[in-house]
Amino acid sequence: GQNIDQPTEMTATEGAIVQINCTYQTSGFNGLFWYQQHAGEAPTFLSYNVLDGLEEKGRFSSFLSRSKGYSYLLLKELQMKDSASYLCAVTDSNYQLIWGAGTKLIIKP
Amino acid sequence: IAGITQAPTSQILAAGRRMTLRCTQDMRHNAMYWYRQDLGLGLRLIHYSNTAGTTGKGEVPDGYSVSRANTDDFPLTLASAVPSQTSVYFCASSEEGLAETGELFFGEGSRLTVL
């Protein structure tokens, strides 16, 4: 079956750096997305990786290794507003989006 | 402000009743989707539409139907609601369909409780 694994919950300190991992096992691969979802709100797009390597966008970076079926989202200079769930999603060979259950990130002062 | 509008935002419904969740987008996106989100699970695709006039089944289509009469509207109907359909429903759209890998834009969600 197809599977996306990410930690259920993580805690980090304001101003610090946190890395949220995502491993996937899917039938084929056509890209990986990260979305942010604040409690009670809609998911919003953060990043998209289709080639191996690191994509940087301000305080957020996303890394992909297709051979390892692995990605991470790196958040730097954490702010309280970064408290949210982070959703990893992979597009499989049929271009279906397979979603992970999300990682709830708690930021402490 | 351009985006996706869902209605209602919240609804409590008796089992066996019919319910339609409305979704309208003004971005002229070709593709639209309905997802449900349940605690501890990833978003699950119910139905999708790659373009006006066409629809397709997602991962969990049973008990739901959709229509796409025009580009902007994509209503989701529960013909006879059951308690297992208690969930948060998100409508989403993208410029391109499932054969591409475009960013999804989500509505604010509709929280449905079936008693």
Side-chain angles (χ1 to χ4, degrees):
Chain A
Q2 310 210 84
N3 197 47
I4 309 283
D5 284 319
Q6 31 178 155
T8 303
E9 187 174 298
M10 299 181 69
T11 302
T13 304
E14 189 178 16
I17 298 173
V18 70
Q19 177 175 310
I20 302 173
N21 296 325
C22 171
T23 57
Y24 62 89
Q25 294 172 315
T26 56
S27 56
F29 177 85
N30 279 300
L32 184 144
F33 292 86
W34 284 97
Y35 282 78
Q36 180 190 60
Q37 185 177 24
H38 286 101
E41 297 183 7
T44 55
F45 171 82
L46 285 178
S47 68
Y48 171 66
N49 294 69
V50 66
L51 299 176
D52 290 352
L54 187 68
E55 295 278 343
E56 297 187 76
K57 191 184 293 186
R59 294 189 298 113
F60 292 9
S61 302
S62 57
F63 172 83
L64 174 67
S65 168
R66 288 172 298 172
S67 62
K68 295 182 179 178
Y70 168 69
S71 172
Y72 67 72
L73 181 69
L74 191 71
L75 291 73
K76 303 176 186 176
E77 302 169 13
L78 285 170
Q79 302 175 11
M80 298 303 293
K81 68 179 182 180
D82 297 330
S83 291
S85 289
Y86 291 87
L87 314 180
C88 175
V90 171
T91 309
D92 69 8
S93 57
N94 293 320
Y95 294 96
Q96 299 281 346
L97 256 183
I98 312 299
W99 294 82
T103 299
K104 182 178 180 180
L105 178 63
I106 299 168
I107 309 297
K108 295 186 174 180
Chain B
I1 298 177
I4 297 182
T5 303
Q6 290 184 232
T9 55
S10 181
Q11 182 77 45
I12 299 174
L13 188 66
R17 298 298 295 269
R18 180 183 179 89
M19 177 73 195
T20 294
L21 303 180
R22 301 184 297 279
C23 176
T24 300
Q25 55 108 352
D26 60 4
M27 297 177 283
R28 306 303 293 172
H29 284 172
N30 284 320
M32 297 187 76
Y33 314 85
W34 273 105
Y35 284 94
R36 60 177 291 173
Q37 187 174 40
D38 301 290
L39 197 63
L41 298 177
L43 287 163
R44 291 183 292 169
L45 183 65
I46 304 170
H47 285 286
Y48 66 92
S49 169
N50 285 335
T51 189
T54 68
T55 62
K57 294 182 179 181
E59 180 186 354
V60 288
D62 294 343
Y64 306 94
S65 64
V66 292
S67 61
R68 187 87 185 277
N70 56 60
T71 298
D72 299 342
D73 301 301
F74 191 45
L76 176 74
T77 297
L78 288 68
S80 179
V82 295
S84 62
Q85 292 178 311
T86 293
S87 187
V88 180
Y89 291 86
F90 286 101
C91 180
S93 72
S94 62
E95 266 192 71
E96 301 153 332
L98 284 179
E100 287 74 35
T101 50
E103 171 188 349
L104 290 180
F105 295 82
F106 286 86
E108 290 303 310
S110 296
R111 182 175 295 275
L112 184 66
T113 302
V114 182
L115 301 176

